[in-house]
Amino acid sequence: MRQRGSAVTVLAVDIGGTKFAAAAISADGEIQVRAEVALSGSRSAEEALAQTIAKITERVSADRLDGIGVGSAGPLDPCTGTVSPVNIPSWRDFPLVKTLEQMLPGLPVRLAGDAQCMALGEWWRASPHRAPSRAVLGIVVSTGVGGGFVLEGRPYLGPTGNAGHIGHITVDPGGDPCPCGAVGCVETVASGPGMVRWARANGWNGHDAVALTAAARAGDTVATLAFQRAAGALATAVLTASALVDLDHVVIGGGVAAAGPILLDPLRQAVAENAGLGFLRRLRVDLTALGRDAGLFGAAALILLHDLQKP
């Protein structure tokens, strides 16, 4: 039982397609403990989740926690607390909220999409260092491509909890099949695996997105074109979303975004060249100021800013 007057600390959990991360985060935004576990063939996703949580509770006892905020790749259903991440095939309608409640009984659990959490984390922790944004789109470019809105300081989840699934806007009707079941989605072009697949089909001999980034930095033509192609697909999706929602700001995070200017520069250029309407031309596009921890800050904010998020 927590002692009255003790400092508020929440457990933030970030469910990605290739790794799980968690952190104990205080109300003033300090990460006290952080842990990460990679998904692999030697352990199930459930085992990886348990190991991730255990790495935190080994150092911060459960009775010091006030709640659990979790951001997950989708699709998801916040009403039932289930998730079906496209890149975790073993999890279909997986009861993530119930599982976390069983691991840490008595704590409230709140769930949102991973990119929604990234956008919320950026709004909460990074916005004081930038011009205020009333309408933010967060995009996670990693194993998949996820998206989420924060409007007037509140995550906009939509009726099913899946608003902002920008990775599954079709940008190439004749393109590759997507794991979601459609064809030519942004994810097939701009995700790490999608970029690598295209580069290898066009003569590049590397094996993963990290190597592709290094090759592009070294001036490899095919690797550079892979990033330009990804930037073009993201720009189409960004402008589509902005035309619908009138965005102030787009924030890009995730493993592929770690490429920095190699992705950001052609993305900004493509947005500028294709933004016809005046209100689209005011759109700002940045990399997250919080790096890989943006989603964890946003997951924590699901608990810490809960009253603000209520309609």
Side-chain angles (χ1 to χ4, degrees):
M1 191 79 176
R2 280 185 57 79
Q3 296 179 357
R4 182 172 298 174
S6 57
V8 174
T9 301
V10 303
L11 174 64
V13 182
D14 186 7
I15 303 296
T18 57
K19 64 177 177 59
F20 295 165
I25 299 180
S26 63
D28 61 2
E30 178 186 354
I31 293 182
Q32 299 174 350
V33 182
R34 191 187 191 285
E36 197 171 288
V37 172
L39 294 176
S40 69
S42 62
R43 67 171 69 90
S44 68
E46 291 90 334
E47 290 170 334
L49 178 63
Q51 290 175 17
T52 307
I53 302 304
K55 286 188 174 187
I56 301 299
T57 55
E58 285 169 359
R59 299 180 61 186
V60 177
S61 65
D63 60 8
R64 287 180 52 202
L65 299 173
D66 293 271
I68 305 170
V70 54
S72 175
L76 51 83
D77 185 342
C79 294
T80 63
T82 58
V83 300
S84 303
V86 170
N87 293 295
I88 307 179
S90 63
W91 278 11
R92 291 295 173 264
D93 296 321
F94 178 74
L96 180 57
V97 168
K98 182 178 180 180
T99 300
L100 290 168
E101 289 173 340
Q102 291 172 342
M103 288 181 180
L104 296 169
L107 294 179
V109 181
R110 297 195 175 96
L111 169 68
D114 57 348
Q116 290 159 341
C117 286
M118 190 201 74
L120 183 60
E122 187 77 15
W123 179 87
W124 176 40
R125 297 301 300 159
S127 58
H129 307 292
R130 291 174 168 159
S133 300
R134 296 176 61 186
V136 183
L137 169 65
I139 304 178
V140 175
V141 187
S142 188
T143 309
V145 176
F149 296 110
V150 174
L151 307 179
E152 306 291 353
R154 298 171 178 158
Y156 178 71
L157 306 183
T160 69
N162 291 286
H165 252 67
I166 198 166
H168 300 288
I169 291 176
T170 298
V171 292
D172 183 4
D176 292 336
C178 180
C180 77
V183 173
C185 295
V186 174
E187 186 166 302
T188 67
V189 180
S191 68
M195 293 170 64
V196 168
R197 185 168 53 250
W198 181 87
R200 287 181 59 81
N202 285 273
W204 182 68
N205 295 318
H207 296 285
D208 58 28
V210 173
L212 188 70
T213 299
R217 285 179 175 148
D220 182 271
T221 300
V222 173
T224 300
L225 286 173
F227 275 94
Q228 292 175 349
R229 183 171 175 266
L234 288 168
T236 297
V238 162
L239 288 170
T240 299
S242 191
L244 292 171
V245 183
D246 192 12
L247 297 168
D248 296 315
H249 195 192
V250 174
V251 183
I252 311 292
V256 174
I262 294 170
L263 177 65
L264 185 62
D265 289 352
L267 173 57
R268 283 175 167 167
Q269 181 179 348
V271 168
E273 289 175 350
N274 293 284
L277 298 170
F279 75 93
L280 296 178
R281 291 195 292 272
R282 71 178 182 78
L283 181 65
R284 292 180 292 127
V285 181
D286 293 303
L287 298 179
T288 174
L290 302 174
R292 63 179 185 164
D293 292 329
L296 289 170
F297 281 117
L302 293 175
I303 299 290
L304 295 170
L305 307 183
H306 179 60
D307 289 341
L308 178 62
Q309 294 161 25
K310 293 177 181 178

